[in-house]
Amino acid sequence: MRTITLNNGVEMPQIGYGVFQVSPDEAERCVADALSVGYRMVDTAQAYQNEEGVGRAIQKSGIKREDLFVVDKIWFSQYAGDSATKSIEDSLRKLGTDYIDLMLLHQPYGDRYNAYRDLEEALKVGKVRAIGVSNFYSDHLIDLSNFMEVIPAVNQVETHMFFQQQEARQYMDELGVKHMSWGPLAEGKNNFFSNEVMKSIGENHRKSVAQVALRYLLQRDVIVIPKSVRKERMAENFDVFDFELSSEEMSVLAQLDTHEPVIIPSHHSAEVTKMFMGWSKPIER
């Protein structure tokens, strides 16, 4: 398993299994399948409402806890006061674990400075091994890093062939923040799986479009968490370490970047912000 070393020395797998939009009822089965395929990182979130299913799968897997890497995220309705600290304790309980390997702030809204200080405290006492953020644009990331004691280890943002985050990546690299992709297959949007450029390159390597897309990100040192509820697709997405894209192929694929988000519009958009505010009710914990 290829790993990425975070800015505090913690190593995390470069590929993991994401459970966004996996129902609570399916989570245990899906995570169990992913672990059986070979995944050793699972990415969940409080807002996904499936932490308990993830936890059950981990506990039943027979895999040593230290051989697994669990990523979780705090929803922004839990940022104020001591809510973030309480929500971490609740996530630990639901996951059935004594620690979370990487805990992120899920969105750049609400009292993110207060919540991040709670993450720093959780890091100090060993409740989490690394901390970071998700969906933070470069200005959010630079601002937070300037006022906090601990630089985020990771920024998890929409990243795929059509939105490669090349400019944002420059600032992550300057700060020592690792780039983590959600939606690495663009949720199939923009006819992703029938793209002729990726299909042609895939034929050169006897690989699928999905495998080419994931390999491209891996070669750019991006952490990826592809999601599927089908075991055969999980295995396909994991089978990306036995080939390498040439520098010419990497250059061709770089040209597919539209420099615009495809799955969710900009978090700087007023309409997107209004949408998230509509989801800001406290999560049932």
Side-chain angles (χ1 to χ4, degrees), residues 175-226:
L175 291 165
V177 178
K178 294 302 181 183
H179 182 179
M180 187 172 183
S181 158
W182 65 260
L185 303 179
E187 296 187 354
K189 297 183 185 299
N190 287 8
N191 299 311
F192 188 91
F193 294 107
S194 59
N195 181 271
E196 291 298 330
V197 174
M198 288 190 281
K199 283 176 66 177
S200 176
I201 290 175
E203 289 168 2
N204 293 340
H205 298 277
R206 297 184 180 179
K207 292 292 182 178
S208 67
V209 166
Q211 289 169 319
V212 168
L214 293 170
R215 182 69 199 184
Y216 176 75
L217 294 177
L218 291 170
Q219 285 184 217
R220 290 185 56 223
D221 292 326
V222 178
I223 302 159
V224 297
I225 46 169

Side-chain angles (χ1 to χ4, degrees), residues 167-283:
E167 181 180 351
R169 174 62 179 272
Q170 294 176 19
Y171 294 107
M172 292 186 217
D173 288 347
E174 283 181 18
L175 291 165
V177 178
K178 294 302 181 183
H179 182 179
M180 187 172 183
S181 158
W182 65 260
L185 303 179
E187 296 187 354
K189 297 183 185 299
N190 287 8
N191 299 311
F192 188 91
F193 294 107
S194 59
N195 181 271
E196 291 298 330
V197 174
M198 288 190 281
K199 283 176 66 177
S200 176
I201 290 175
E203 289 168 2
N204 293 340
H205 298 277
R206 297 184 180 179
K207 292 292 182 178
S208 67
V209 166
Q211 289 169 319
V212 168
L214 293 170
R215 182 69 199 184
Y216 176 75
L217 294 177
L218 291 170
Q219 285 184 217
R220 290 185 56 223
D221 292 326
V222 178
I223 302 159
V224 297
I225 46 169
K227 168 253 177 179
S228 176
V229 297
R230 295 167 56 189
K231 189 173 182 178
E232 64 270 23
R233 292 297 185 199
M234 296 177 196
E236 177 186 318
N237 292 339
F238 195 72
D239 184 23
V240 288
F241 295 104
D242 61 348
F243 76 108
E244 186 168 343
L245 299 171
S246 68
S247 57
E248 292 79 11
E249 289 169 330
M250 292 290 286
S251 295
V252 169
L253 292 169
Q255 301 308 307
L256 295 178
D257 191 3
T258 67
H259 307 284
E260 296 291 338
V262 171
I263 302 172
I264 294 179
S266 168
H267 281 67
H268 285 307
S269 159
E271 289 304 312
V272 169
T273 302
K274 284 171 62 180
M275 175 187 74
F276 276 109
M277 292 308 106
W279 298 347
S280 65
K281 295 178 181 179
I283 296 170

Side-chain angles (χ1 to χ4, degrees), residues 144-156:
L144 186 79
S145 299
N146 189 59
F147 288 101
M148 298 294 111
E149 292 181 21
V150 178
I151 301 293
V154 162
N155 187 16
Q156 184 184 120

Side-chain angles (χ1 to χ4, degrees), residues 82-147:
D82 62 354
S83 292
T85 296
K86 290 179 178 178
S87 77
I88 292 171
E89 293 290 345
D90 205 25
S91 289
L92 289 168
R93 177 184 59 80
K94 289 188 173 185
L95 289 164
T97 184
D98 294 329
Y99 64 91
I100 292 165
D101 296 278
L102 174 63
M103 196 71 170
L104 310 177
L105 299 187
H106 203 155
Q107 300 288 348
Y109 304 120
D111 196 350
R112 59 184 184 264
Y113 305 97
N114 179 74
Y116 195 81
R117 291 188 195 97
D118 286 348
L119 282 184
E120 290 179 327
E121 184 58 31
L123 181 66
K124 289 177 184 176
V125 300
K127 296 293 178 67
V128 300
R129 298 178 64 222
I131 60 177
V133 295
S134 178
N135 295 307
F136 276 49
Y137 275 53
S138 297
D139 54 339
H140 300 142
L141 184 63
I142 293 166
D143 181 52
L144 186 79
S145 299
N146 189 59
F147 288 101

Side-chain angles (χ1 to χ4, degrees), residues 19-64:
V19 297
F20 176 54
Q21 294 179 331
V22 175
S23 71
D25 293 337
E26 280 196 302
E28 181 179 344
R29 189 269 301 173
C30 288
V31 173
D33 283 348
L35 295 177
S36 72
V37 164
Y39 291 86
R40 290 297 179 265
M41 175 168 68
V42 180
D43 176 278
T44 185
Q46 294 172 357
Y48 301 168
Q49 300 283 292
N50 56 22
E51 291 166 303
E52 289 172 311
V54 171
R56 285 193 299 271
I58 288 173
Q59 291 155 32
K60 293 178 181 178
S61 70
I63 301 169
K64 293 179 180 178

